[in-house]
Amino acid sequence: MAVDLRAVAELSGVSVSTVSRALRGSPRVNSRTRAKVLRAAESLNYRPNAAARGLRTRQSQLVGVVIPNLVSVTFVNLFSHLQAGFRAHGYETVLSVTNGEPEQELAAFATLLGHQIDGVIAIGSYSVSTDFLRESRLPAVHLFNAPDQPAGDCVTINEFESTQDAIGHLISHGHRRIGCIDGSSEPTVAGYEYAVRKHDLPMDPQLLHLGKYDTETGTEGVDKLVALDDPPTAIFFGCYENWLSGIPRLLEHGLTIPDQMSVVCRDDAEMLRWWRPSISAVDVQVPAIAKLAVDRLVDAMATDEGALTEQRHGKYQVATTLIKRHSVADPPRR
Amino acid sequence: MAVDLRAVAELSGVSVSTVSRALRGSPRVNSRTRAKVLRAAESLNYRPNAAARGLRTRQSQLVGVVIPNLVSVTFVNLFSHLQAGFRAHGYETVLSVTNGEPEQELAAFATLLGHQIDGVIAIGSYSVSTDFLRESRLPAVHLFNAPDQPAGDCVTINEFESTQDAIGHLISHGHRRIGCIDGSSEPTVAGYEYAVRKHDLPMDPQLLHLGKYDTETGTEGVDKLVALDDPPTAIFFGCYENWLSGIPRLLEHGLTIPDQMSVVCRDDAEMLRWWRPSISAVDVQVPAIAKLAVDRLVDAMATDEGALTEQRHGKYQVATTLIKRHSVADPPRR
DNA sequence: TTGTACGCGTTATCAG
DNA sequence: CTGATAACGCGTACAA
């Protein structure tokens, strides 16, 4: 039923090995036979069986991308760029969404391993699954987090500096009480504190709301900050999921941006440009991150044959950019 | 290096066939040997090679999902539900994004075919690739469009009725000039005209802006409608990509919702609930659509062995729901 | 109940 | 330059 190498061989009157070579562009084949073979393959609509090839070559040309969600446009963009990047290197991409659940992440790695993927990009992974991944010895690259005992190179954004930049920007506008909402992230807290201290402002832990990378945290955080006795005059949102719900919540509280509340978000998105007023944001340079991750993984997959047992994994950080729009003003007079 | 059936067989002191049977839960194996085998497999961390199994069984347990983009949350949601649904049936999902380009779509089908997928969900496909798909005889389900010569069952939403509902809702509020922005879609136009005629309103083609399912069409459409000599008092956006950019553009033109412009969107999203005012929308029932599509494809893949050559393909429509929020008011007095 | 042997479609080795 | 032939890891008739 299915058209295989043998069928092409018969039609073109040569052996399967010759067909295989011809199709794969081996130089060790007469150009006239090659033409003949190509014509036959074309007319039969031959398509190589990737599974069989993978079985033989021990390479599936498949890479896994394990991602917490597709809610964040940052992740969606990232995936698009990763897919395009890998495709340029001849790899197809298999996506797995974990909903931020450790078990789902573990299951994803296991399933992908069963499908003989050649490597994996792990985004925001948990320690259990990182252990699993490391022990599997599969070429891997961590994205957006750098575990203590990584399974491969780590590509991250500079959360510390980007937070510091954003907070510094707000302070330079005269804000003295600045709220910060984020999924739990040490570098973000550190960056916040550093910026506050550097400008000799008092550090008030009440202004920090750390939760998860989800929309609930955004609304909760806004509710909490707004209800403070001495509420902030500006808020920094640390991630897409948080600001997506948090900004509308601000409006719901009757606050106008930027007159009554200045806002800066990390994870830029088209929407922030469209909104009125447009919102200042930290751009995380998704294309650059994706390119770096692809390159590192492709590299790891290539040199994996040599398999240095206790290889040192590289750490990379991609710098972020602060885009100033119209959501930041001087704080209102008291 | 890799742990295979043979390794497990050796450790447990039985033959590979027994191991294969034990692991696959065949009844034709002693419960004591089974236990022994399971223990051995566990300790070796055995994981079946899906490629080899697929080569043997001619089933990859992989389904392809070919989708125009992941910008629309409708598509993102859809993908999540499809993935979950297929997983429940023992299938893993391979995603391919086409950016709405015919060639990319064709390439996607070809690649997926090479990876021996057992079936495919084709979302918004072009005729060239539909032809290709049909000729490949791969079990398929069309989603969100029903080609003239489909390659499988078609699951669509009732664009005609949902448009009619939305327009009717606006008319019932007293609107007489209603704009309509959408990617090109005949049923939408038909629904619009039907609703307008039914209520004895004049049909003005200028009020229709048909473009593509992208953000540009949203802004262009708004610009065009607003600039009309006799602009509409309400707008219906036919898809996510259009309203995402179109609504902010409305605000940019200084129009307030709903006082100066009423709005209804198709493709509901959390965001529409959060925005102030919240936006009325047509909910396309993504979970129901996904479930139906999964069921139809699983069915097709199961009965494919019997391969009825000229099988009649089913057409299914999933009804939409109009959710009334706060973006529709009576038109302003002249 | 268990083991032997073969083949799935491909690539790699080795003769010719 | 080309052709037999042997794997790759697994499932399954068939034999024991």
Side-chain angles (χ1 to χ4, degrees):
Chain A
M1 184 68 224
V3 33
D4 60 2
L5 232 38
R6 244 189 44 232
V8 181
E10 278 172 20
L11 181 65
S12 44
V14 294
S15 73
V16 287
S17 353
T18 303
V19 174
S20 175
R21 278 189 287 257
L23 259 30
R24 313 199 56 240
S26 157
R28 313 176 65 77
V29 51
N30 187 305
S31 56
R32 283 188 47 233
T33 39
R34 156 169 301 130
K36 201 166 51 179
V37 168
L38 288 178
R39 240 182 309 120
E42 177 73 17
S43 77
L44 285 176
N45 223 305
Y46 169 75
R47 192 168 306 289
N49 182 325
R53 173 179 289 172
L55 187 59
R56 192 55 245 241
T57 62
R58 307 181 139 287
Q59 297 207 12
S60 61
Q61 298 298 108
L62 251 33
V63 297
V65 172
V66 177
I67 213 166
N69 66 62
L70 290 177
V71 173
S72 166
V73 295
T74 300
F75 287 156
V76 171
N77 270 335
L78 184 67
F79 175 74
S80 301
H81 281 92
L82 288 175
Q83 184 163 53
F86 282 121
R87 208 165 265 174
H89 285 274
Y91 289 93
E92 211 54 28
T93 304
V94 180
L95 172 69
S96 219
V97 179
T98 65
N99 301 314
E101 305 284 352
E103 321 102 50
Q104 288 194 45
E105 193 177 69
L106 197 58
F109 287 140
T111 304
L112 290 171
L113 232 45
H115 282 284
Q116 310 304 117
I117 53 166
D118 294 339
V120 67
I121 300 276
I123 301 168
S125 55
Y126 293 86
S127 61
V128 258
S129 31
T130 300
D131 291 345
F132 176 84
L133 196 57
R134 180 159 20 78
E135 281 159 23
S136 78
R137 322 213 69 246
L138 183 73
V141 168
H142 292 280
L143 225 58
F144 287 136
N145 77 328
D148 290 339
Q149 306 207 341
D153 286 347
C154 305
V155 177
T156 57
I157 61 167
N158 199 328
E159 290 182 273
F160 178 83
E161 283 192 2
S162 63
T163 306
Q164 196 192 321
D165 277 4
I167 303 298
H169 174 56
L170 290 166
I171 292 176
S172 75
H173 265 269
H175 293 275
R176 294 181 52 87
R177 287 185 63 76
I178 300 168
C180 176
I181 298 175
D182 195 14
S184 62
S185 157
E186 289 183 30
T188 298
V189 175
Y192 178 90
E193 291 198 13
Y194 185 88
V196 164
R197 295 239 150 83
K198 195 169 84 177
H199 293 85
D200 292 320
L201 294 178
M203 174 70 203
D204 181 355
Q206 287 197 303
L207 292 172
L208 251 54
H209 182 82
L210 285 322
K212 299 171 69 178
Y213 298 96
D214 58 17
T215 50
E216 282 70 31
T217 298
T219 51
E220 282 171 15
V222 166
D223 289 347
K224 193 189 110 179
L225 292 177
V226 166
L228 251 34
D229 286 340
D230 187 7
T233 58
I235 294 183
F236 170 67
F237 290 97
C239 69
Y240 179 94
E241 296 89 332
N242 290 173
W243 64 247
L244 180 65
S245 59
I247 294 180
R249 188 62 155 226
L250 239 23
L251 306 180
E252 214 166 329
H253 278 287
L255 265 22
T256 59
I257 300 172
D259 298 333
Q260 297 172 36
M261 184 67 80
S262 288
V263 169
V264 176
C265 302
R266 185 161 51 206
D267 286 351
D268 191 24
E270 278 191 304
M271 216 185 304
L272 295 180
R273 241 176 41 217
W274 290 328
W275 279 353
R276 294 300 117 172
S278 60
I279 310 282
S280 299
V282 173
D283 179 15
V284 300
Q285 314 277 36
V286 167
I289 291 173
K291 178 167 173 24
L292 185 53
V294 168
D295 288 347
R296 297 322 305 142
L297 187 59
V298 168
D299 206 62
M301 294 188 294
T303 65
D304 180 59
E305 318 295 350
L308 313 179
T309 319
E310 282 304 327
Q311 179 178 346
R312 289 287 285 273
H313 297 301
K315 310 262 184 207
Y316 303 85
Q317 282 202 337
V318 177
T320 56
T321 306
L322 179 62
I323 301 174
K324 294 171 190 168
R325 291 196 269 245
H326 302 95
S327 61
V328 177
D330 295 348
R333 308 260 176 140
R334 281 293 162 88
Chain B
M1 183 68 224
V3 34
D4 59 2
L5 233 38
R6 243 188 46 231
V8 181
E10 277 172 21
L11 181 63
S12 44
V14 295
S15 74
V16 286
S17 37
T18 303
V19 174
S20 174
R21 280 189 284 256
L23 259 32
R24 311 202 61 238
S26 158
R28 311 176 65 77
V29 52
N30 189 304
S31 57
R32 284 189 47 230
T33 38
R34 157 170 299 131
K36 202 165 49 179
V37 168
L38 289 177
R39 238 181 310 119
E42 175 74 15
S43 77
L44 284 176
N45 225 306
Y46 170 76
R47 193 167 307 290
N49 182 326
R53 172 179 291 173
L55 190 58
R56 195 54 248 245
T57 62
R58 306 180 139 286
Q59 298 207 10
S60 62
Q61 298 299 105
L62 252 34
V63 297
V65 173
V66 177
I67 213 165
N69 67 63
L70 289 178
V71 173
S72 166
V73 294
T74 299
F75 287 157
V76 171
N77 270 334
L78 184 67
F79 175 73
S80 300
H81 282 92
L82 287 174
Q83 185 164 51
F86 282 121
R87 209 165 263 173
H89 285 275
Y91 290 93
E92 212 54 28
T93 305
V94 181
L95 172 69
S96 218
V97 179
T98 66
N99 301 313
E101 305 284 353
E103 321 102 50
Q104 287 195 45
E105 193 177 70
L106 197 58
F109 287 140
T111 304
L112 290 172
L113 232 44
H115 283 284
Q116 310 305 116
I117 52 166
D118 295 338
V120 67
I121 300 276
I123 299 168
S125 55
Y126 293 86
S127 62
V128 259
S129 32
T130 299
D131 291 343
F132 176 83
L133 195 58
R134 178 158 22 76
E135 280 158 23
S136 79
R137 322 211 69 249
L138 184 72
V141 168
H142 291 281
L143 224 57
F144 287 135
N145 77 328
D148 291 338
Q149 306 207 341
D153 287 346
C154 305
V155 177
T156 56
I157 61 166
N158 199 328
E159 290 182 273
F160 178 83
E161 284 193 0
S162 62
T163 307
Q164 196 191 319
D165 277 3
I167 303 298
H169 175 56
L170 290 166
I171 293 177
S172 75
H173 266 269
H175 293 275
R176 294 180 52 85
R177 288 185 62 76
I178 299 168
C180 175
I181 298 174
D182 195 14
S184 62
S185 158
E186 289 184 28
T188 298
V189 175
Y192 178 90
E193 291 198 13
Y194 185 87
V196 164
R197 295 239 150 84
K198 196 170 80 177
H199 293 86
D200 292 320
L201 294 179
M203 174 70 204
D204 181 353
Q206 286 197 304
L207 292 172
L208 251 53
H209 182 82
L210 284 323
K212 297 173 68 179
Y213 298 98
D214 59 15
T215 50
E216 282 71 30
T217 298
T219 51
E220 283 171 16
V222 166
D223 289 347
K224 192 188 111 181
L225 292 177
V226 166
L228 251 33
D229 287 339
D230 188 6
T233 58
I235 294 183
F236 170 66
F237 290 97
C239 69
Y240 178 94
E241 296 89 333
N242 290 173
W243 64 246
L244 180 66
S245 59
I247 294 180
R249 189 60 155 227
L250 240 23
L251 306 181
E252 214 166 329
H253 278 287
L255 265 22
T256 60
I257 301 171
D259 298 333
Q260 297 171 36
M261 184 65 81
S262 288
V263 169
V264 176
C265 302
R266 185 160 51 206
D267 286 350
D268 190 25
E270 280 191 303
M271 216 184 306
L272 295 180
R273 243 174 41 217
W274 290 328
W275 279 353
R276 295 299 119 173
S278 60
I279 311 282
S280 299
V282 173
D283 178 15
V284 300
Q285 314 277 36
V286 168
I289 290 173
K291 177 167 174 27
L292 185 53
V294 168
D295 288 347
R296 297 321 305 141
L297 187 58
V298 168
D299 206 61
M301 293 188 294
T303 66
D304 181 60
E305 316 296 348
L308 313 178
T309 319
E310 281 303 330
Q311 177 178 349
R312 289 288 283 273
H313 296 300
K315 309 262 185 208
Y316 303 84
Q317 281 202 339
V318 178
T320 56
T321 305
L322 179 62
I323 301 174
K324 294 170 188 168
R325 291 196 269 246
H326 302 95
S327 61
V328 177
D330 296 347
R333 309 259 174 140
R334 282 292 163 88

